[in-house]
PDB file of all heavy atoms in Angstrom:
ATOM      1  N   GLY A  24      35.467  10.131 -13.981  1.00 88.00           N
ATOM      2  CA  GLY A  24      36.707  10.439 -13.253  1.00 88.00           C
ATOM      3  C   GLY A  24      36.938   9.498 -12.089  1.00 88.00           C
ATOM      4  O   GLY A  24      38.061   9.370 -11.605  1.00 88.00           O
ATOM      5  N   GLY A  25      35.846   8.842 -11.609  1.00 90.00           N
ATOM      6  CA  GLY A  25      35.974   7.840 -10.557  1.00 90.00           C
ATOM      7  C   GLY A  25      36.748   8.317  -9.336  1.00 90.00           C
ATOM      8  O   GLY A  25      36.787   9.511  -9.009  1.00 90.00           O
ATOM      9  N   LEU A  26      37.388   7.356  -8.689  1.00 92.00           N
ATOM     10  CA  LEU A  26      38.085   7.649  -7.430  1.00 92.00           C
ATOM     11  C   LEU A  26      39.244   8.630  -7.641  1.00 92.00           C
ATOM     12  O   LEU A  26      39.551   9.439  -6.774  1.00 92.00           O
ATOM     13  CB  LEU A  26      38.590   6.335  -6.817  1.00 92.00           C
ATOM     14  CG  LEU A  26      39.232   6.438  -5.445  1.00 92.00           C
ATOM     15  CD1 LEU A  26      38.278   7.055  -4.419  1.00 92.00           C
ATOM     16  CD2 LEU A  26      39.683   5.052  -4.956  1.00 92.00           C
ATOM     17  N   GLN A  27      39.846   8.554  -8.823  1.00 91.00           N
ATOM     18  CA  GLN A  27      40.979   9.455  -9.067  1.00 91.00           C
ATOM     19  C   GLN A  27      40.519  10.922  -9.028  1.00 91.00           C
ATOM     20  O   GLN A  27      41.179  11.773  -8.438  1.00 91.00           O
ATOM     21  CB  GLN A  27      41.613   9.142 -10.427  1.00 91.00           C
ATOM     22  CG  GLN A  27      42.926   9.885 -10.627  1.00 91.00           C
ATOM     23  CD  GLN A  27      43.571   9.574 -11.978  1.00 91.00           C
ATOM     24  OE1 GLN A  27      43.334   8.542 -12.576  1.00 91.00           O
ATOM     25  NE2 GLN A  27      44.389  10.485 -12.444  1.00 91.00           N
ATOM     26  N   LEU A  28      39.371  11.207  -9.624  1.00 92.00           N
ATOM     27  CA  LEU A  28      38.856  12.585  -9.575  1.00 92.00           C
ATOM     28  C   LEU A  28      38.470  12.954  -8.143  1.00 92.00           C
ATOM     29  O   LEU A  28      38.753  14.062  -7.682  1.00 92.00           O
ATOM     30  CB  LEU A  28      37.644  12.753 -10.510  1.00 92.00           C
ATOM     31  CG  LEU A  28      37.021  14.152 -10.450  1.00 92.00           C
ATOM     32  CD1 LEU A  28      37.980  15.216 -10.986  1.00 92.00           C
ATOM     33  CD2 LEU A  28      35.709  14.212 -11.204  1.00 92.00           C
ATOM     34  N   THR A  29      37.850  12.021  -7.429  1.00 94.00           N
ATOM     35  CA  THR A  29      37.453  12.288  -6.045  1.00 94.00           C
ATOM     36  C   THR A  29      38.676  12.656  -5.200  1.00 94.00           C
ATOM     37  O   THR A  29      38.654  13.607  -4.418  1.00 94.00           O
ATOM     38  CB  THR A  29      36.765  11.034  -5.449  1.00 94.00           C
ATOM     39  OG1 THR A  29      35.650  10.701  -6.265  1.00 94.00           O
ATOM     40  CG2 THR A  29      36.313  11.266  -4.021  1.00 94.00           C
ATOM     41  N   LYS A  30      39.751  11.889  -5.383  1.00 94.00           N
ATOM     42  CA  LYS A  30      40.972  12.165  -4.612  1.00 94.00           C
ATOM     43  C   LYS A  30      41.500  13.552  -4.949  1.00 94.00           C
ATOM     44  O   LYS A  30      41.925  14.297  -4.074  1.00 94.00           O
ATOM     45  CB  LYS A  30      42.057  11.140  -4.957  1.00 94.00           C
ATOM     46  CG  LYS A  30      41.803   9.779  -4.371  1.00 94.00           C
ATOM     47  CD  LYS A  30      42.929   8.857  -4.799  1.00 94.00           C
ATOM     48  CE  LYS A  30      42.753   7.472  -4.237  1.00 94.00           C
ATOM     49  NZ  LYS A  30      43.774   6.551  -4.703  1.00 94.00           N
ATOM     50  N   HIS A  31      41.452  13.887  -6.231  1.00 92.00           N
ATOM     51  CA  HIS A  31      41.930  15.196  -6.662  1.00 92.00           C
ATOM     52  C   HIS A  31      41.071  16.300  -6.024  1.00 92.00           C
ATOM     53  O   HIS A  31      41.591  17.285  -5.481  1.00 92.00           O
ATOM     54  CB  HIS A  31      41.887  15.272  -8.189  1.00 92.00           C
ATOM     55  CG  HIS A  31      42.095  16.650  -8.710  1.00 92.00           C
ATOM     56  ND1 HIS A  31      43.322  17.267  -8.688  1.00 92.00           N
ATOM     57  CD2 HIS A  31      41.220  17.562  -9.228  1.00 92.00           C
ATOM     58  CE1 HIS A  31      43.203  18.485  -9.179  1.00 92.00           C
ATOM     59  NE2 HIS A  31      41.948  18.682  -9.516  1.00 92.00           N
ATOM     60  N   ILE A  32      39.758  16.128  -6.071  1.00 94.00           N
ATOM     61  CA  ILE A  32      38.846  17.132  -5.505  1.00 94.00           C
ATOM     62  C   ILE A  32      39.155  17.336  -4.020  1.00 94.00           C
ATOM     63  O   ILE A  32      39.291  18.460  -3.536  1.00 94.00           O
ATOM     64  CB  ILE A  32      37.368  16.689  -5.690  1.00 94.00           C
ATOM     65  CG1 ILE A  32      36.961  16.795  -7.155  1.00 94.00           C
ATOM     66  CG2 ILE A  32      36.435  17.477  -4.803  1.00 94.00           C
ATOM     67  CD1 ILE A  32      35.598  16.191  -7.485  1.00 94.00           C
ATOM     68  N   LEU A  33      39.265  16.214  -3.306  1.00 96.00           N
ATOM     69  CA  LEU A  33      39.483  16.317  -1.852  1.00 96.00           C
ATOM     70  C   LEU A  33      40.842  16.930  -1.533  1.00 96.00           C
ATOM     71  O   LEU A  33      40.986  17.651  -0.549  1.00 96.00           O
ATOM     72  CB  LEU A  33      39.336  14.941  -1.200  1.00 96.00           C
ATOM     73  CG  LEU A  33      37.886  14.435  -1.153  1.00 96.00           C
ATOM     74  CD1 LEU A  33      37.852  12.939  -0.850  1.00 96.00           C
ATOM     75  CD2 LEU A  33      37.084  15.208  -0.103  1.00 96.00           C
ATOM     76  N   SER A  34      41.829  16.658  -2.397  1.00 94.00           N
ATOM     77  CA  SER A  34      43.174  17.179  -2.123  1.00 94.00           C
ATOM     78  C   SER A  34      43.213  18.704  -2.243  1.00 94.00           C
ATOM     79  O   SER A  34      44.095  19.350  -1.713  1.00 94.00           O
ATOM     80  CB  SER A  34      44.204  16.555  -3.069  1.00 94.00           C
ATOM     81  OG  SER A  34      44.004  17.077  -4.367  1.00 94.00           O
ATOM     82  N   THR A  35      42.218  19.263  -2.945  1.00 93.00           N
ATOM     83  CA  THR A  35      42.216  20.719  -3.109  1.00 93.00           C
ATOM     84  C   THR A  35      41.350  21.403  -2.045  1.00 93.00           C
ATOM     85  O   THR A  35      41.246  22.623  -2.016  1.00 93.00           O
ATOM     86  CB  THR A  35      41.668  21.118  -4.503  1.00 93.00           C
ATOM     87  OG1 THR A  35      40.339  20.601  -4.614  1.00 93.00           O
ATOM     88  CG2 THR A  35      42.525  20.551  -5.621  1.00 93.00           C
ATOM     89  N   GLU A  36      40.721  20.616  -1.184  1.00 94.00           N
ATOM     90  CA  GLU A  36      39.907  21.170  -0.098  1.00 94.00           C
ATOM     91  C   GLU A  36      40.682  21.069   1.209  1.00 94.00           C
ATOM     92  O   GLU A  36      41.467  20.146   1.392  1.00 94.00           O
ATOM     93  CB  GLU A  36      38.596  20.382   0.045  1.00 94.00           C
ATOM     94  CG  GLU A  36      37.609  20.620  -1.046  1.00 94.00           C
ATOM     95  CD  GLU A  36      37.141  22.066  -1.126  1.00 94.00           C
ATOM     96  OE1 GLU A  36      36.693  22.610  -0.105  1.00 94.00           O
ATOM     97  OE2 GLU A  36      37.242  22.649  -2.216  1.00 94.00           O
ATOM     98  N   ASN A  37      40.398  21.996   2.081  1.00 92.00           N
ATOM     99  CA  ASN A  37      41.105  22.001   3.356  1.00 92.00           C
ATOM    100  C   ASN A  37      40.327  21.142   4.360  1.00 92.00           C
ATOM    101  O   ASN A  37      39.617  21.662   5.211  1.00 92.00           O
ATOM    102  CB  ASN A  37      41.214  23.459   3.806  1.00 92.00           C
ATOM    103  CG  ASN A  37      42.085  23.607   5.004  1.00 92.00           C
ATOM    104  OD1 ASN A  37      42.826  22.685   5.344  1.00 92.00           O
ATOM    105  ND2 ASN A  37      41.986  24.744   5.660  1.00 92.00           N
ATOM    106  N   VAL A  38      40.447  19.811   4.211  1.00 94.00           N
ATOM    107  CA  VAL A  38      39.657  18.914   5.078  1.00 94.00           C
ATOM    108  C   VAL A  38      40.470  18.571   6.331  1.00 94.00           C
ATOM    109  O   VAL A  38      41.579  18.055   6.225  1.00 94.00           O
ATOM    110  CB  VAL A  38      39.290  17.610   4.330  1.00 94.00           C
ATOM    111  CG1 VAL A  38      38.498  16.679   5.240  1.00 94.00           C
ATOM    112  CG2 VAL A  38      38.522  17.905   3.057  1.00 94.00           C
ATOM    113  N   ASP A  39      39.909  18.877   7.493  1.00 94.00           N
ATOM    114  CA  ASP A  39      40.573  18.475   8.743  1.00 94.00           C
ATOM    115  C   ASP A  39      39.502  17.948   9.706  1.00 94.00           C
ATOM    116  O   ASP A  39      38.321  17.869   9.343  1.00 94.00           O
ATOM    117  CB  ASP A  39      41.383  19.638   9.334  1.00 94.00           C
ATOM    118  CG  ASP A  39      40.501  20.824   9.674  1.00 94.00           C
ATOM    119  OD1 ASP A  39      39.339  20.600  10.050  1.00 94.00           O
ATOM    120  OD2 ASP A  39      40.963  21.975   9.549  1.00 94.00           O
TER     121      ASP A  39
END
Side-chain angles (χ1 to χ4, degrees):
L26 185 58
Q27 190 180 336
L28 177 66
T29 302
K30 286 179 179 176
H31 169 73
I32 288 171
L33 288 165
S34 71
T35 59
E36 288 298 307
N37 188 15
V38 179
D39 61 33

